[in-house]
Amino acid sequence: MTYEENYREGDEYSEGYSTDERILDGELLPSDENENILRPTTLDEYVGQDKIKDNLRIFIQAARKRGEALDHVLLYGPPGLGKTTLSKIIANEMGVEIKSTSGPAIERSADLVANLTALPANSVMFIDEIHRLNHTAEELLYPAMEDFNVDFMLGQGPSAKTIKLKLQPFTLVGATTKAGNIAAPLRDRFGIICRLELYTPEQLGLIVRRSASILNIDIQDSACIEIASRSRGTPRIANRLLKRVRDFAECENSAITLDIAKKALTRLEVDGLGLDHTDRTILRTIIDKFDGGPVGLDTLAAATGEEAATIEDVYEPFLMQLGFIARTPRGRICSRRAYEHLRIPYRATAEATLFDWKEDGDKSGE
């Protein structure tokens, strides 16, 4: 089932809901304080990413049979898909300890050396946002990953000397939302590379049902699918929407029914495809103020009151995944799909017509 198939006519949205935290942001927010209790701890509990799970089962079973550390693992994909959860599952399935840190937190080479030398044999070291490691720390990882030793410079000037420290065999699990920003020498040292995909509404429905059970929330199956279909293919967003819908249900002293889920999500301005007010504002601005485009990013940012970087990094990716907008040499344009979703009569520009033609699958001109 696609996200377009989950779109229903008749949704209307008020403009009164606002928050400093964007509820549809896949990044971890302060309001996700109890997210850890919702994380699965085994591969059997983990929903979705079936190909990755099947392969990891084999790799983990073989490593345990040999009594060795699992090969280094790189997990990449959009935020909120379960990279951190999967790293902890790897450690649990291997039966070893896990040490967690992040690229920005490792400011000095000494910080990385301290973490590496404290690792027990065959344990897991998890580095989130590994693409943000500084260059010096990254180069320390090369011998650590290949030969399980690090060369550490002690002192400065003429009296400085290099000390080679032997490490216990370990598994480095790196997670990133921007795999292209990882230096090739580092990327090549990962033996297992996994790309996490967006979840289907059916898979997210199972995740919502599981989370509701853990949180002791009474919810109908139809409401699970309703929440899942508006969650942009992201488990973190699905769990966040579940908690907000629960608030509406508790105020009405009711279980989460389909009607309450629809009412709550409408109040939150989340439509049938998972677009919020700002997403629709960007589309309407391109269509109403610039005749469907093309329009430059800076012009679009000025017209919507959003930062250009925010539009490019936060809002555009999902709109492009849906095929609602495209980037062209002259600027952004809206497709026929965007007009249909907003129920606006289609007014095609020359570039938009070319975009729609490519969407229809005619590649004869390429």
Side-chain angles (χ1 to χ4, degrees):
M1 186 182 296
T2 64
Y3 290 98
E4 288 82 351
E5 290 170 346
N6 278 281
Y7 173 66
R8 283 160 295 279
E9 299 290 340
D11 286 337
E12 296 179 358
Y13 305 94
S14 66
E15 306 300 334
Y17 178 79
S18 64
T19 177
D20 292 334
E21 297 181 356
R22 184 173 183 246
I23 196 169
L24 295 180
D25 194 340
E27 298 286 353
L28 191 65
L29 300 177
S31 60
D32 301 320
E33 70 282 349
N34 61 348
E35 185 184 59
N36 283 336
I37 67 173
L38 302 180
R39 295 184 189 272
T41 57
T42 66
L43 288 174
D44 290 334
E45 293 178 355
Y46 192 94
V47 177
Q49 314 297 342
D50 292 334
K51 292 181 180 179
I52 293 176
K53 288 195 303 182
D54 291 343
N55 288 337
L56 283 176
R57 276 195 182 95
I58 294 174
F59 301 149
I60 290 172
Q61 182 180 353
R64 295 192 65 173
K65 189 174 182 180
R66 294 190 300 266
E68 299 176 355
L70 182 68
D71 206 350
H72 305 300
V73 182
L74 177 63
L75 306 172
Y76 72 98
L81 295 189
K83 295 184 290 295
T84 301
T85 299
L86 201 52
S87 71
K88 294 180 179 180
I89 288 176
I90 289 173
N92 288 339
E93 295 283 352
M94 287 290 296
V96 298
E97 297 181 21
I98 181 171
K99 170 72 174 179
S100 299
T101 185
S102 66
I106 302 175
E107 298 180 352
R108 302 174 303 162
S109 300
D111 298 332
L112 180 59
V113 172
N115 283 321
L116 291 173
T117 54
L119 292 174
N122 298 341
S123 60
V124 172
M125 180 172 181
F126 173 62
I127 302 181
D128 197 11
E129 298 299 319
I130 194 170
H131 66 276
R132 295 178 61 185
L133 273 175
N134 67 59
H135 184 66
T136 304
E138 180 183 303
E139 289 191 334
L140 273 177
L141 276 178
Y142 298 163
M145 295 173 71
E146 285 192 327
D147 305 319
F148 300 118
N149 61 61
V150 290
D151 296 326
F152 186 65
M153 185 68 69
L154 188 64
Q156 295 180 345
S159 61
K161 59 180 180 179
T162 301
I163 300 177
K164 186 180 291 290
L165 300 176
K166 186 66 176 177
L167 306 176
Q168 296 283 359
F170 72 98
T171 299
L172 176 64
V173 179
T176 178
T177 56
K178 299 180 179 179
N181 289 3
I182 298 179
L186 177 59
R187 186 170 58 247
D188 292 343
R189 284 170 169 79
F190 286 97
I192 304 171
I193 299 179
C194 304
R195 181 181 187 274
L196 275 66
E197 304 283 350
L198 293 175
Y199 289 67
T200 66
E202 290 79 10
Q203 292 171 336
L204 287 176
L206 295 175
I207 292 173
V208 171
R209 166 58 67 187
R210 177 183 178 275
S211 298
S213 176
I214 294 173
L215 296 173
N216 295 317
I217 299 173
D218 189 6
I219 185 171
Q220 294 180 352
D221 289 340
S222 57
C224 289
I225 294 297
E226 186 70 23
I227 293 172
S229 66
R230 304 191 189 206
S231 300
R232 304 168 79 109
T234 306
R236 180 175 290 154
I237 295 175
N239 288 330
R240 193 179 298 152
L241 290 179
L242 171 65
K243 295 173 189 176
R244 299 289 72 77
V245 173
R246 173 188 59 180
D247 295 340
F248 284 86
E250 288 181 348
C251 288
E252 298 192 14
N253 297 315
S254 169
I256 299 179
T257 63
L258 178 60
D259 289 340
I260 288 179
K262 286 184 175 180
K263 176 182 176 181
L265 293 168
T266 298
R267 289 283 298 274
L268 294 171
E269 299 186 72
V270 180
D271 69 19
L273 296 185
L275 302 186
D276 64 7
H277 172 61
T278 305
D279 292 316
R280 294 189 294 275
T281 296
I282 291 172
L283 294 176
R284 287 186 178 278
T285 299
I286 297 175
I287 293 172
D288 294 338
K289 296 183 179 180
F290 302 100
D291 296 324
V295 55
L297 178 61
D298 291 338
T299 303
L300 181 59
T304 58
E306 296 284 343
E307 294 289 337
T310 302
I311 292 177
E312 188 172 28
D313 296 335
V314 177
Y315 296 102
E316 272 191 352
F318 188 65
L319 294 175
M320 294 178 68
Q321 289 170 16
L322 292 176
F324 282 3
I325 65 173
R327 297 174 182 171
T328 73
R330 295 176 58 198
R332 275 65 175 167
I333 59 174
C334 278
S335 72
R336 184 189 300 270
R337 292 183 181 182
Y339 284 82
E340 292 173 351
H341 182 71
L342 297 175
R343 305 181 197 126
I344 298 174
Y346 183 55
R347 305 187 302 272
T349 63
E351 290 187 61
T353 302
L354 178 62
F355 176 36
D356 291 335
W357 169 69
K358 288 186 176 181
E359 276 188 335
D360 291 337
D362 185 351
K363 306 297 184 182
S364 59
E366 294 185 355

